[in-house]
Amino acid sequence: ISGGRLVKRSCEEYIKSSGDLKEGGYFVGHAGNLNCKHVVHIVCPSWKGGNVKEEEKLSEMVFKAMNQASVRSLKSMALPAIGSGNYG
């Protein structure tokens, strides 16, 4: 399933108003055609051999996503393979 144009537009609007996300950053965007209410976009740390607290930083990103679900009183959330582009 693809989120479609609304997800892309949500990302583009965020970047236009706030700039690119940096490592550790996140924003909550439109879910588009996905079967959910929101998409939390996060930028995970790059893997640097495991010696620069990458696991701790990734855990912080998961916590940030969970916090956003809590702030919005969501009853469920899915965490796909976040950071898989960086962690393989």
Side-chain angles (χ1 to χ4, degrees), residues 4-69:
R5 286 185 276 171
L6 290 174
V7 172
K8 183 178 180 183
R9 186 177 311 133
S10 176
C11 292
E12 291 169 345
E13 289 173 359
Y14 177 86
I15 292 168
K16 185 176 181 179
S17 68
S18 302
D20 290 336
L21 284 176
K22 306 294 184 218
E23 184 176 294
Y26 71 91
F27 86 95
V28 180
H30 199 287
N33 299 329
L34 298 172
N35 188 20
C36 59
K37 295 181 180 180
H38 310 282
V39 173
V40 180
H41 300 272
I42 61 176
V43 179
C44 294
S46 297
W47 182 257
K48 297 178 176 120
N51 300 316
V52 194
K53 299 184 179 182
E54 295 95 333
E55 288 184 33
E56 181 179 316
K57 292 175 183 178
L58 182 59
S59 293
E60 289 174 13
M61 295 312 305
V62 171
F63 177 79
K64 286 180 181 182
M66 292 172 67
N67 184 57
Q68 289 304 304

